């Protein structure tokens, strides 16, 4: 239930025993677990109150988790004094109590006018609409900063688990990264444990697809590599590609991740082709090897956040000479061709091909046939039986639908029609 | 002309063969298919090609032959512990235990035996008119099986197909209109 009025008589309880009376003002923002409020005396903080539907045991767990987090604030990568207002983690700063009951926590406010969601960096046009012009120097810096924060968390046995671009904000001019939703992190220390049940399939490591995340740090390593890959490759997901045999190629990313269908490795995948517009081939070898270890090898070899920090640091430091402008002025990795130019060529090539409209119209009949063929290859499911199954007859159970392809179903039904006609002929 | 006639049944069979499921069929299913292949061959031969008609003696026996063949299959298959043939005929819709299927199968076998016998009785003891009426009422069974198939399988299949085709058409349309927009 969203609150509209300011809420009085709340108490901000700082670590130690300092407390203060506060009034909360609604911001209109809310998430799965709670709702976000402003705090009248603390303009730099926001309060997150857990939803009223939270059960007492859950709330109790949150309280212990927040308590632990207040006592174990991670030491983050140092940022110089000029960037005072930057928040790298919306870590809990104080508890919020109401009539001496725990109801939520306060965290530092991330200035939304100075930041943009990491999602936007995956698409140049979207980013420039937000007044952010992307170049490879900025991208590497963002990757480096993200890896650095995660590395700090991992060293404290804290994992993010639901790591995805949506939960990460980027400061537009400073390129620092901040991570939201800290109260959802996985904590696995000797004195305190808290699981993180939420996951996002597109960023979930193959070994956890369809199961639970038993090794949260390995999960973060996978998600981190996926995000870095997408940032450095124009948003292309490492598991998007073109199936050689479309029949065996899962339509959704989760299935491709599970089957480890990664087409951007140093050695090509035999069943999947890369997306034509990908520029992975001109990324530095050191990074490509890390990607290969993250996506094609087993989880044991997956590079840690610390390894990413080490490999990215050479590029992230300005004036290191590792990032140089190409002859058209784009920043690029000094060791290889300019990815920005390459991308433009690929896109223009595609546009030119698209322009040959006539040739395409001439091939239209074959393509139409392909559409029909593809349709016939779909798995056939019967909505009628699904509807019937939902009504759940007490005595008669409906048969689980055979997962026939549409072609097989048609073949079977042709035989059925023949059977009925033959019977008719014999009985009539 | 006869080429046309032939393609009417050969082409669907070829399609059915090309798109057949690669899952192994059960022995009972094969038995049914073989029986129907025999009946079908006879029907096609005498129905489509031989204009003098069938051998005269078989005329009254035809429904009985079909019923008793089905009854035989329905009795023999469980004895060899193959799948109950009744399950093949209605098993696509309901999930029952194999014990229940055995009972349904027995009922099916008995019904077929009775129908076959009644056909002979009606044909030999009453008028030709009565016999035609009897056969007609038997056809309603077929009608029921057909309606079941139509409702549970064919309509969904058609809905499914048209849905996918529609989606593909929309994609194709968008694609073409986008081609037209960029000169
Ligand atoms: N520190 C912060 N500074 C600014 N805005 C924030 C901050 N924390 C959260 N928000 C805003 O509030 C919204 C909801 O917060 P949050 O995602 O933490 O809630 P949640 O209940 O954990 O949701 P979910 O679990 O579904 O992610 C966020 O989308 C974000 O816009
Ligand atoms: Zn360039």
């Amino acid at each position: 239930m969203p609150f509209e009025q300011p809420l009085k008589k709340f108490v901000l309880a700082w670590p130690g025993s300092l407390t203060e009376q506060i009034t909360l003002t609604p911001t209109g923002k809310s998430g799965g677990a709670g709702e976000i409020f402003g705090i009248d005396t603390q303009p730099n903080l926001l309060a997150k109150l857990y939803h009223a539907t939270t059960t007492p045991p859950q709330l109790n767990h949150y309280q212990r988790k927040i308590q632990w987090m207040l006592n174990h604030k991670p030491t983050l990568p140092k940022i110089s004094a000029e960037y005072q207002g930057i928040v790298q983690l919306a870590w809990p700063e104080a508890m919020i109590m109401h009539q001496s009951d725990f109801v939520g926590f306060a965290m530092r406010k991330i200035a939304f006018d100075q930041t943009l969601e990491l999602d936007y960096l995956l698409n140049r046009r979207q980013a420039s609409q937000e007044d952010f012009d992307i170049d490879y120097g900025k991208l590497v810096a963002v990757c480096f900063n993200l890896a650095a924060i995660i590395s700090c968390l991992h060293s404290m046995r804290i994992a993010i688990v639901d790591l995805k671009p949506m939960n990460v904000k980027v400061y537009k001019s400073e390129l620092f990264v901040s991570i939201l939703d800290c109260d959802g992190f996985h904590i696995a220390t000797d004195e305190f444990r808290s699981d993180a049940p939420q996951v996002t399939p597109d960023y979930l490591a193959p070994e956890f697809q369809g199961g639970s995340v038993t090794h949260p740090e390995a999960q973060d390593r996978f998600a981190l590599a996926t995000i870095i890959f997408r940032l450095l490759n124009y948003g292309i997901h490492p598991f998007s590609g073109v199936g050689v045999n479309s029949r065996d190629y899962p339509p959704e990313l989760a299935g491709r991740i599970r089957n480890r269908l990664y087409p951007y490795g140093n050695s090509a995948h035999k069943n999947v082709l890369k997306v034509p517009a990908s520029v992975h081939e001109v990324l530095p070898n050191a990074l490509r090897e890390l990607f290969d270890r993250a996506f094609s090898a087993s989880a044991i070899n997956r590079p840690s956040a610390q390894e990413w920090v080490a490999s990215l640091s050479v590029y992230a430091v300005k004036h290191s000479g590792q990032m140089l402008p190409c002859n058209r002025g784009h920043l690029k990795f000094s060791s290889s061709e300019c990815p920005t130019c390459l991308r433009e060529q690929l896109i223009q090539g595609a546009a030119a091909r698209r322009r040959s409209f006539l040739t395409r119209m001439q091939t239209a009949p074959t393509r139409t046939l392909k559409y029909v063929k593809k349709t016939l290859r779909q798995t056939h499911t019967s909505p009628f039986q699904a509807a019937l199954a939902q009504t759940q007859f007490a005595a008669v159970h409906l048969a689980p639908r055979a997962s026939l392809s549409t072609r097989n179903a048609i073949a079977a039904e042709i035989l059925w029609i023949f059977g009925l006609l033959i019977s008719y002929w014999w009985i009539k | 002309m006869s080429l046309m006639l032939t393609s009417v049944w050969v082409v669907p069979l070829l399609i059915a063969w090309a798109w057949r499921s690669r899952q192994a069929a059960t022995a009972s299913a094969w038995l049914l298919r073989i029986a129907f292949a025999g009946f079908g061959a006879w029907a096609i031969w005498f129905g489509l090609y031989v204009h003098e008609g069938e051998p005269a003696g078989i005329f009254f026996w035809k429904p009985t032959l079909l019923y008793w063949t089905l009854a035989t299959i329905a009795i023999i298959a469980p004895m060899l512990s193959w799948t109950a043939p009744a399950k093949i005929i209605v098993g696509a819709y309901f999930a029952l235990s194999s014990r229940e299927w055995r009972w349904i199968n027995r009922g099916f076998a008995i019904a077929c035996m009775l129908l076959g016998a009644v056909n002979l009785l009606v044909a030999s003891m009453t008028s030709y008119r009565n016999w035609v009426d009897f056969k007609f009422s038997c056809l309603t069974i077929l009608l029921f099986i057909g309606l079941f198939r139509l409702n549970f399988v064919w309509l969904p299949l058609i809905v499914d197909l048209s849905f996918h085709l529609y989606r593909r058409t929309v994609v194709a349309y968008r694609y073409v209109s986008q081609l037209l927009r960029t000169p």
Side-chain angles (χ1 to χ4, degrees):
Chain A
M1 135 218 70
F3 304 94
E4 258 123 46
Q5 303 303 312
L7 303 180
K8 292 197 172 41
K9 297 228 177 99
F10 279 78
V11 173
L12 198 59
W14 296 97
S17 47
L18 223 60
T19 59
E20 72 182 273
Q21 283 269 349
I22 52 168
T23 300
L24 300 177
T25 47
T27 61
K29 287 179 192 155
S30 82
E35 203 175 331
I36 307 292
F37 293 86
I39 302 175
D40 59 343
T41 57
Q42 299 284 345
N44 292 328
L45 296 187
L46 284 179
K48 175 163 169 176
L49 299 198
Y50 291 105
H51 289 307
T53 49
T54 314
T55 62
Q58 256 177 332
L59 199 63
N60 184 270
H61 179 81
Y62 285 140
Q63 180 170 12
R64 288 189 296 124
K65 186 169 187 177
I66 300 296
Q67 186 64 60
W68 186 90
M69 291 173 91
L70 289 174
N71 295 336
H72 298 83
K73 212 172 158 181
T75 39
L76 290 173
K78 271 274 170 301
I79 53 179
S80 61
E82 55 184 306
Y83 303 126
Q84 265 311 307
I86 303 268
V87 180
Q88 297 195 78
L89 267 183
W91 198 261
E93 303 281 335
M95 287 204 196
I96 294 185
M97 318 292 287
H98 184 59
Q99 292 163 353
S100 73
D101 287 331
F102 169 84
V103 289
F105 65 91
M107 60 189 155
R108 288 177 69 193
K109 186 195 279 181
I110 295 167
F112 277 10
D113 51 341
Q114 296 170 33
T115 56
L116 96 174
E117 232 168 59
L118 188 67
D119 245 356
Y120 284 77
L121 300 200
L122 301 178
N123 182 322
R124 309 257 150 158
R125 191 164 349 125
Q126 265 182 23
S128 64
Q129 276 167 5
E130 299 283 318
D131 294 324
F132 187 83
D133 287 315
I134 296 182
D135 63 46
Y136 266 86
K138 292 181 185 175
L139 289 175
V140 168
V142 169
C143 294
F144 173 80
N145 288 334
L146 180 64
I149 294 184
I150 293 172
S151 165
C152 283
L153 291 174
H154 284 180
S155 68
M156 296 183 60
R157 310 194 54 159
I158 300 170
I160 302 170
V161 182
D162 195 17
L163 176 59
K164 58 180 169 185
M166 275 225 328
N167 283 346
V168 178
K169 298 264 176 191
V170 175
Y171 281 89
K172 284 191 234 180
S173 48
E174 300 84 355
L175 304 178
F176 286 115
V177 165
S178 74
I179 300 180
L180 287 176
D181 216 4
C182 292
D183 58 317
F185 288 179
H186 178 102
I187 298 168
T189 60
D190 297 333
E191 77 237 52
F192 184 75
R193 279 193 66 88
S194 176
D195 290 335
Q198 206 165 314
V199 292
T200 304
D202 286 5
Y203 294 90
L204 191 58
E207 67 269 27
F208 308 130
Q209 290 282 349
S212 61
V213 178
T214 47
H215 200 317
E217 191 177 323
Q219 163 53 30
D220 278 5
R221 291 178 178 186
F222 181 83
L224 174 65
T226 307
I227 292 173
I228 294 176
F229 186 91
R230 295 194 67 185
L231 281 171
L232 298 184
N233 197 8
Y234 287 83
I236 296 172
H237 193 285
F239 289 87
S240 65
V242 183
V244 171
N245 180 354
S246 57
R247 204 185 295 219
D248 306 329
Y249 193 52
E252 57 337 317
L253 284 170
R256 300 173 186 179
I257 294 174
R258 181 181 335 200
N259 299 341
R260 294 168 213 256
L261 301 176
Y262 166 65
Y264 304 97
N266 273 309
S267 51
H269 195 289
K270 66 178 193 301
N271 294 329
V272 194
L273 305 176
K274 66 194 180 76
V275 168
S278 169
V279 298
H280 65 283
E281 271 155 10
V282 300
L283 298 178
N285 278 330
L287 299 185
R288 292 198 65 193
E289 270 155 30
L290 290 184
F291 286 132
D292 281 13
R293 279 170 50 203
F295 302 128
S296 42
S298 67
I300 305 162
N301 287 325
R302 198 171 289 152
S304 67
Q306 184 50 46
E307 279 180 85
W308 281 109
V309 170
S311 295
L312 288 166
S313 62
V314 281
Y315 305 106
V317 177
K318 267 186 197 164
H319 318 298
S320 65
Q322 293 295 316
M323 300 293 288
L324 296 171
C326 79
N327 46 26
R328 290 180 51 208
H330 314 121
L331 263 185
K332 68 171 194 78
F333 301 99
S334 60
S335 57
S336 50
E337 226 182 296
C338 170
T340 318
C341 289
L342 175 63
R343 170 81 177 189
E344 278 174 16
Q345 279 166 24
L346 290 171
I347 299 284
Q348 269 167 15
R353 259 173 274 128
R354 192 176 299 157
R355 254 177 262 122
S356 58
F357 176 53
L358 257 181
T359 44
R360 288 194 162 255
M361 284 319 271
Q362 283 158 358
T363 59
T366 35
R367 272 181 297 136
T368 313
L369 207 67
K370 248 193 202 157
Y371 274 131
V372 176
K373 271 190 186 161
K374 223 172 167 182
T375 307
L376 291 174
R377 249 188 258 128
Q378 298 271 358
T379 306
H380 161 69
T381 52
S382 152
F384 286 82
Q385 280 202 50
L388 272 176
Q390 269 168 10
T391 52
Q392 295 245 337
F393 290 91
V396 181
H397 293 281
L398 292 171
R401 262 172 287 119
S403 65
L404 285 176
S405 77
T406 304
R407 282 157 173 254
N408 294 163
I410 290 176
E413 296 320 309
I414 289 177
L415 292 187
W416 261 94
I417 293 173
F418 269 102
L420 288 172
L421 288 177
I422 292 167
S423 308
Y424 171 78
W425 195 85
W426 279 84
I427 295 175
K428 76 159 200 295
Chain B
M1 188 58 212
S2 81
L3 191 73
M4 278 260 290
L5 263 181
T6 309
S7 59
V8 163
W9 59 273
V10 167
V11 170
L13 278 184
L14 284 180
I15 293 176
W17 174 256
W19 290 353
R20 73 193 183 278
S21 165
R22 306 291 146 136
Q23 281 166 14
T26 60
S28 302
W30 274 115
L31 207 55
L32 279 173
R33 280 183 205 172
I34 290 167
F36 271 87
F39 284 119
W42 180 283
I44 285 170
W45 180 246
F46 288 104
L48 298 182
Y49 298 100
V50 181
H51 294 293
E52 302 84 67
E54 302 156 78
I58 196 174
F59 192 55
F60 289 107
W61 277 87
K62 267 171 62 185
T64 303
L65 265 178
L66 180 73
Y67 290 132
W68 283 359
T69 310
L70 285 177
T72 317
I73 294 174
I75 291 166
I76 288 177
M79 293 203 304
L80 300 172
S81 64
W82 292 348
T83 329
K87 185 177 176 184
I88 295 167
I89 295 168
V90 284
Y93 324 120
F94 306 112
L96 301 173
S97 70
S98 34
R99 207 173 68 89
E100 290 162 321
W101 279 122
R102 269 200 297 281
W103 277 106
I104 292 180
N105 194 55
R106 267 169 224 162
F108 175 73
I110 291 170
C112 284
M113 270 179 352
L114 283 180
L115 280 172
V118 171
N119 174 61
L120 286 185
L121 282 177
V122 173
S124 58
M125 297 172 72
T126 66
S127 70
Y128 181 74
R129 251 244 72 82
N130 276 349
W131 185 60
V132 172
D133 287 346
F134 165 76
K135 286 197 299 181
F136 186 78
S137 53
C138 287
L139 284 179
T140 49
I141 305 171
L142 223 59
L143 186 73
F144 266 107
I145 296 179
L147 278 179
F148 249 71
R149 212 65 207 164
L150 182 76
N151 180 55
F152 277 103
V153 185
W154 298 340
L155 279 182
L157 197 62
I158 289 165
V159 169
D160 230 33
L161 269 180
S162 30
F163 182 69
H164 285 305
L165 272 176
Y166 168 74
R167 275 216 313 225
R168 300 221 150 261
T169 323
V170 170
V171 172
Y173 170 77
R174 278 212 208 102
Y175 179 70
V176 169
S177 58
Q178 167 225 333
L179 282 179
L180 291 173
R181 236 183 291 115
T182 51

